[in-house]
Structures are given as C-alpha cells and as structure tokens.
Amino acid sequence: MATMEIVGGTQLKGTVRASGAKNALLPILAACVMLDGETNLTNAPYLGDVNIMLRMLSSLGIRAEHLSNDCIHIVNQKKIRHIAPYDLVTAMRASFFVAGPLLAKTGFAKVPMPGGCSIGTRPIDIHLKGFEALGAEINIEHGFVQLKSKEIRGAYYKMPFPSVGATENLMMAACLARGEAVFENVACEPEIVDLANFLNAAGAKIEGAGTPTIRVQGVRSLQGISSYSVIPDRIEVGTFMVAAAITSGDITIENTCFDHVSFLAEKLELMGVTIDHSGDLIFVRSNGTLKAIDLETAPYPGFPTDMQSQMMTLLAVCEGTSKIKESIFENRYMHVPELVRMGADIKLDKQYAFIKGVSKLSGADVRSTDLRASASMVLAGLVAEGRSKVHGLKHLRRGYHNLAEKLIGLGAEIYQ
Ligand code: EPZ
C-alpha cells in the first residue's frame, strides 16, 4: 500500500497553486448527462474521485476524457443508458449525483443505493423525498434506487436539513422539469453556486443558488458549453493555510477565492495567524505561538466539516484547551486515535472533542481512514519530531492532486 514519509520540522515557505474544487467538479460532471453536445471543463484536477465519475459517464454512454493540464472534454451525443453500475456508485457515493440528471433526461434512473462510509451512514432520504415531490415514482429493491416519471414537474419542497448533495441532485433534476420548482432550506455552499452557474451557462433558468431558497424554471433542453472553469478548491486552500500555520511558515496560495475560506481565516486569525489576501492570492504566516479556540462545524457559511480534522491537528499543538463540536457527521473523529498515537492529548465525548495543546508531536507510523483524516495525518507529520509514515494514501488521492509535490515545493521534506 502506498505510503508517504514525512520528516517534521521544516517551516513552509514560498508559493503554491491550489487546484479546482473536487466537490464542484463532481456534480458538474454528473450534470453533463443532461447537456447535448460537447463540453470542455478547465481547472478540473485529476483526482481519484473525478476518475470514478468519468468512468460513470462513460458507462452511461457519454465520452469523457481527462486531457492534460486539468482539462476535461465531454461528448454527449449518443442515447444515454440509464443504469448506473454498482461498482462505481459503491466506490464513490457522489456517483449518486447522476440520479437527478438521469431522471430528468431519460425519465428513468436505476442507481445503486450509495453505501455509507467511514464518516457516517450518509442516508439519501432527503434526495428521495425531493424526487417524489418532483413527481418521480420511487422503487427500492435489490439494493437499487429506481426513479421513474413520464414527466418531471416543478414543485415546492422544503428540506429538513440543508443537504449539499440533495440540493445539487434536485436542482439538476428540476432543470428539465415542466414548470417551476422551489426548494427551501437548501445548502448554500460555493460548489452549489458553481453548479448553478454551469447549468445556467448551458441554458438552465436557476435563481437563488447560494441562498436558502432556490427557484428553477424548467426548460426543454440544455446545450454543451465550449469552456467552463471550475472554482478553486476551498478545502485544499484551507489545508495549505493550516499547513503554513502549523509549521510557523510564510506562504502564498494562488488560484483561491478568499470569500470561500473567510470563516476559516477568521478562526486562524483568532489563533494568532496572520492572513492577507489580494485577488486570487492568499498570504498566510505564523510566528508559531498560537492560541486555543473553540469551533463547531456547520453548513456553509459556517465552519466546514471538511476542515475539522485539519484544524484539530493544528489545535493539538496550540497553547491551551480547545473544544470542537462536529455537528454534520456522526463519526468524523477517526483521525483522533492516530493523533493521540503521535502524542496529542484529545478526549472525545459524543459530538465533542476536547483538545489540550501539547508542546510537540512525535513522528510515528499512522494510518488514514478517510480523505480529510489523511490530510490531517500529513499536517501532523509536517510538525512532528522525527519521521512519520502515512499509510493508506488511496484516501488522500481521492481529493488532493499532487499534495506531496506541492508541499515539497514549499520546502517540506517528504518521500513517497
Ligand atoms: C458533501 O457530501 C461533500 N461531498 C462532503 O465532502 C461534505 O463533507 C458534505 O457535503 C458536507 O459539507 C461532495 O460534495 C462530493 P450532505 P454530502 O448531504 O452531499 C445527512 C469530502 O471530504 N443527510 O450535506 O453527502 C448526512 O448524513 C466530502 O470532500 C441525510 O440525513 O453531504 C450528513 O449527516 C466528505 N439525508 C448531513 O446530512 C440525506 O438525504 C450532511 O450531508 C442527505 C444527507
């Protein structure tokens, strides 16, 4: 199994370029099921999860290829198959994003139930209730979700929780519905705004993306887009910001959108990190004396759950005691035992983690259990005394493009 060996202690310095956003690109790729003709995506990084989605599109009869320099070319001209393969949906639950587009485009979708994963059971009840509101007949058997509808019609649906995936799936399905759909209490993440901008560029009529209420006026068809650039990956940017903070570094991050990470920046500044920004650049430096803070994960614009494990690593080596409340997923503390093995002082109590800062972490062999937990292991290795070996890089490669190379470019001592 691939490992990454990190020698701790280097202060990161220099400039690094963030890639495009995985969590914007995945639903945008799924939306291509509905676009007739050719589409070109730029700022579209080569990632494990993106590769799975490209294979998903190919299995549905759509030509999807990753060109060099972060470009993806899609050709959607043939008849679409409407059954998503089991192995791809179980390999990546975001493959379930094709359900809405398939239903809208073909009137039928047969998609395996996405499994849970290490961070939680990850049900899809909000997706299904929304599809029902849009007039779909739902049948679940043999582990497949079958959606059928002669005609998707606009409807009103208020979500019990602002689910990111359900917002994206239902917004896509409503694009080709008859009449207007109104969704309330939806998620407001930047990735949803990017998806809405992409769909509107293809001829959709979506208003309100990024606010708790989205209105979609159905249209008859959507056309391919000659070129669309995906937004920067705010979680990768946030990971670099924490990397600079934890190594008492001084870095510049290119290809960023500061508004998307302003809440994280606020928390880091409270800890004593210096952060400035100009255009698509963010400047982060730390003198190494950082104070403990409390934080609670929440739907955007609150503190992102995808940055919780990275921040915990930073808090583990700050002065004082911090408290984290993980309010989005029920099991997103798998990185804690690994951090404790490196000398961190962290106690868990249900949704809460109590972190007592220690003067140093010691290098160790650590395993990664999920995408963001593996990023927190890398961050711990950057600051730990001696050598650390992060096992299970397949998780990391799902969501970070060339992370080791980018950190080495900032002076980190990493071997893989
Ligand atoms: C998206 O997952 C992201 N994935 C996740 O990022 C991110 O952590 C999450 O949003 C929250 O921001 C992608 O965009 C591909 P949710 P998603 O539906 O859509 C419950 C990463 O590291 N829920 O907003 O699955 C659910 O159980 C990944 O890049 C229901 O109860 O998240 C969870 O507790 C990890 N019923 C909460 O809502 C539903 O039908 C948030 O889930 C749907 C969700």
Side-chain angles (χ1 to χ4, degrees):
M1 189 185 323
T3 60
M4 186 192 288
E5 188 157 358
I6 306 167
V7 180
T10 309
Q11 293 180 319
L12 299 185
K13 296 226 184 299
T15 300
V16 65
R17 182 175 179 77
S19 299
K22 166 180 84 82
N23 289 351
L25 180 53
L26 291 174
I28 283 174
L29 286 169
C32 290
V33 166
M34 302 188 292
L35 274 59
D36 300 327
E38 301 201 22
T39 294
N40 293 293
L41 301 172
T42 58
N43 204 30
Y46 190 90
L47 296 167
D49 276 7
V50 172
N51 190 32
I52 291 173
M53 187 59 90
L54 294 181
R55 285 165 52 203
M56 169 65 76
L57 294 181
S58 303
S59 74
L60 299 174
I62 295 165
R63 210 169 84 224
E65 51 186 334
H66 221 130
L67 310 174
S68 58
N69 61 10
D70 286 5
C71 293
I72 292 178
H73 181 59
I74 310 262
V75 182
N76 182 358
Q77 269 153 359
K78 294 192 300 188
K79 190 165 167 10
I80 302 263
R81 283 192 288 279
H82 45 237
I83 299 180
Y86 171 78
D87 62 323
L88 293 177
V89 178
T90 44
M92 178 187 65
R93 60 184 315 287
S95 311
F96 192 69
F97 287 156
V98 298
L102 280 175
L103 176 66
K105 183 74 179 167
T106 71
F108 183 77
K110 188 171 177 182
V111 185
M113 290 285 280
C117 70
S118 54
I119 64 176
T121 52
R122 317 231 8 218
I124 55 168
D125 55 309
I126 301 175
H127 299 244
L128 299 182
K129 288 207 186 68
F131 287 135
E132 219 165 20
L134 292 174
E137 223 179 280
I138 296 172
N139 199 346
I140 295 179
E141 55 183 13
H142 310 303
F144 275 82
V145 176
Q146 207 164 283
L147 305 170
K148 200 159 64 175
S149 168
K150 282 193 200 54
E151 183 180 59
I152 290 281
R153 59 174 188 276
Y156 171 82
Y157 175 54
K158 182 170 185 177
M159 289 189 188
F161 176 86
S163 154
V164 171
T167 303
E168 291 162 343
N169 231 335
L170 297 172
M171 184 168 75
M172 290 189 280
C175 285
L176 298 178
R178 213 159 85 79
E180 181 183 62
V182 178
F183 300 116
E184 282 202 350
N185 193 33
V186 298
C188 302
E189 272 68 3
E191 292 76 25
I192 289 164
V193 177
D194 204 23
L195 175 61
N197 291 339
F198 174 76
L199 288 164
N200 284 340
K205 289 188 169 46
I206 300 169
E207 289 172 4
T211 75
T213 303
I214 286 179
R215 288 176 181 284
V216 185
Q217 190 64 41
V219 294
R220 298 191 64 74
S221 67
L222 297 173
Q223 304 311 315
I225 301 169
S226 57
S227 179
Y228 187 86
S229 181
V230 174
I231 55 169
D233 191 317
R234 61 193 170 101
I235 306 302
E236 186 190 22
V237 170
T239 305
F240 289 132
M241 292 166 77
V242 172
I246 205 168
T247 59
S248 312
D250 183 350
I251 72 168
T252 299
I253 310 167
E254 294 175 333
N255 189 29
T256 70
C257 175
F258 183 77
D259 287 353
H260 295 169
V261 293
S262 54
F263 202 96
L264 169 67
E266 258 172 59
K267 289 292 182 186
L268 288 171
E269 283 174 325
L270 276 177
M271 296 171 71
V273 181
T274 305
I275 297 176
D276 292 309
H277 66 278
S278 161
D280 82 336
L281 302 177
I282 295 179
F283 311 98
V284 187
R285 62 180 184 283
S286 159
N287 61 11
T289 324
L290 298 177
K291 293 192 296 302
I293 57 160
D294 292 346
L295 62 89
E296 175 175 350
T297 64
Y300 192 84
F303 190 88
T305 174
D306 290 352
M307 280 301 304
Q308 179 258 102
S309 57
Q310 299 93 311
M311 276 298 268
M312 185 182 287
T313 302
L314 180 60
L315 293 168
V317 292
C318 284
E319 279 166 28
T321 299
S322 304
K323 182 175 72 179
I324 291 182
K325 182 181 180 188
E326 172 54 59
S327 308
I328 304 291
F329 289 107
E330 67 267 30
N331 187 32
R332 202 167 199 175
Y333 285 138
M334 269 83 54
H335 45 287
V336 171
E338 298 304 298
L339 288 172
V340 168
R341 290 180 62 246
M342 295 177 81
D345 181 348
I346 305 170
K347 301 267 182 309
L348 294 178
D349 177 8
K350 299 192 187 71
Q351 287 178 290
Y352 291 93
F354 300 93
I355 304 114
K356 197 163 173 303
V358 294
S359 55
K360 67 176 176 52
L361 296 177
S362 58
D365 276 52
V366 285
R367 69 186 184 91
S368 42
T369 52
D370 63 84
L371 167 54
R372 305 305 174 183
S374 45
S376 71
M377 293 300 108
V378 173
L379 293 168
L382 289 174
V383 73
E385 215 167 49
R387 285 172 179 269
S388 300
K389 203 181 256 189
V390 181
H391 298 259
L393 293 188
K394 68 175 171 30
H395 296 292
L396 197 67
R397 290 183 180 144
R398 291 187 49 191
Y400 288 93
H401 180 60
N402 288 347
L403 182 62
E405 290 80 352
K406 290 177 178 176
L407 292 171
I408 290 167
L410 292 170
E413 191 177 347
I414 297 177
Y415 307 96
Q416 53 176 356

